[in-house]
């Protein structure tokens, strides 16, 4: 009998943030040498806080290879939302149980959704040959947070903290890129770091590959 071992989303084992229709890879396992799956049912649903799950795509796929399943571009996805995906497969003995859900976040699905702009500090005196790091900080309030994501990038390497805690174990983000052509950004689920009331966001920024 086959069962779904896990679902990879855009080839990521975690919870990726995406700007496009996702690609799913369904990994199966068998305890009875049941062979390859004959059919796969994939269901994508929205998991908005305090709302009932809402299916946005429910498809039955036939074949023997379900390692590359692209959701159609026509499926409507909302920006800044969390979606879940589950799957079940069929072999000669019938259908499996539904898998546990796996999740992905949608980020900025269109350029017009961006509402932020770059902030900067005064240029230091670089005659010494050394450029210091800069610490940007902002105090904000959160009285009843049910979801919180940080979308962030920098022209240089950055390290973000909320209330003194690192947002991620990532290092040297946003990484090397052609700054004149494009800028990558990261998306982090920061809800566990948010306190009721006053919060402090700090971002330490250094030269990185931009000026280093």
């Amino acid at each position: 009998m086959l069962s779904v071992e896990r679902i990879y989303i855009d080839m990521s084992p975690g919870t990726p943030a995406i700007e496009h229709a996702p690609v799913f890879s369904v990994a199966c396992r068998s305890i009875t040498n049941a062979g390859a799956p004959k059919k796969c049912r994939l269901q994508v649903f929205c998991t908005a806080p305090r709302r009932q799950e809402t299916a946005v795509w429910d498809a039955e796929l036939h074949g023997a290879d379900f390692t590359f399943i692209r959701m159609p571009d026509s499926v409507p996805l909302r920006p800044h939302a969390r979606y879940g995906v589950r799957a079940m497969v069929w072999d000669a003995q019938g259908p499996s149980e539904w898998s546990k859900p796996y999740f992905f976040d949608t980020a900025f699905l269109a350029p017009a959704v961006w509402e932020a702009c770059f902030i900067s500090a005064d240029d230091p005196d670089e005659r010494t040959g050394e450029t210091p790091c800069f610490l940007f900080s902002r105090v904000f309030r959160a009285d009843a947070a049910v979801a919180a994501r940080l979308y962030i990038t920098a022209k240089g390497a950055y390290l973000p903290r909320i209330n003194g805690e690192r947002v991620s174990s990532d290092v040297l983000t946003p990484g090397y890129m052609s700054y004149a052509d494009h800028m990558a950004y990261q998306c982090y689920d920061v809800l566990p770091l948010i306190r009721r009331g006053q919060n402090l966001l700090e971002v330490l920024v250094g030269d990185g590959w931009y000026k280093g």
Side-chain angles (χ1 to χ4, degrees), residues 4 12 15 35 40 43 64 89 94 106 124 134 148 155 163 196 204:
V4 176
S12 170
T15 302
C40 175
Q43 188 179 82
V89 292
T106 52
F134 293 96
K155 293 182 178 180
N163 297 322
R196 182 179 293 273
L204 185 66

Side-chain angles (χ1 to χ4, degrees), residues 26 38-42 59-61 66 69 87-90:
V26 179
K38 301 179 181 298
K39 185 171 68 171
C40 175
R41 183 180 175 187
L42 205 65
E60 287 192 3
L61 308 164
F66 301 110
I69 304 170
M88 61 192 307
V89 292
W90 277 257

Side-chain angles (χ1 to χ4, degrees), residues 109-120:
L109 301 181
V113 181
W114 270 105
E115 297 179 354
C117 59
F118 278 105
I119 58 175
S120 61

Side-chain angles (χ1 to χ4, degrees), residues 121-199:
D122 294 334
D123 289 333
D125 185 350
E126 297 183 352
R127 288 175 295 181
T128 62
E130 298 180 355
T131 304
C133 294
F134 293 96
L135 181 65
F136 298 89
S137 63
R138 177 69 180 267
V139 175
F140 64 95
R141 291 190 60 83
D143 293 327
V146 294
R149 297 180 182 87
L150 175 66
Y151 301 91
I152 183 171
T153 190
K155 293 182 178 180
Y158 71 84
L159 175 64
R161 287 186 171 91
I162 293 180
N163 297 322
E165 299 290 335
R166 288 188 58 166
V167 166
S168 167
S169 60
D170 293 348
V171 295
L172 298 178
T173 47
Y176 177 78
M177 69 195 75
S178 177
Y179 291 94
D181 298 322
H182 71 276
M183 287 285 295
Y185 66 91
Q186 286 69 49
C187 171
Y188 299 109
D189 183 355
V190 295
L191 183 60
L193 303 178
I194 301 298
R195 303 170 182 166
R196 182 179 293 273
Q198 183 170 287
N199 293 266

Side-chain angles (χ1 to χ4, degrees), residues 28-60:
C28 299
R29 65 179 175 182
S30 173
I31 59 175
T32 59
N33 295 321
K38 301 179 181 298
K39 185 171 68 171
C40 175
R41 183 180 175 187
L42 205 65
Q43 188 179 82
V44 177
F45 54 92
C46 185
T47 62
R50 299 175 181 174
R51 290 187 179 182
Q52 187 175 5
E53 290 182 1
T54 303
V56 297
W57 189 51
D58 195 329
E60 287 192 3

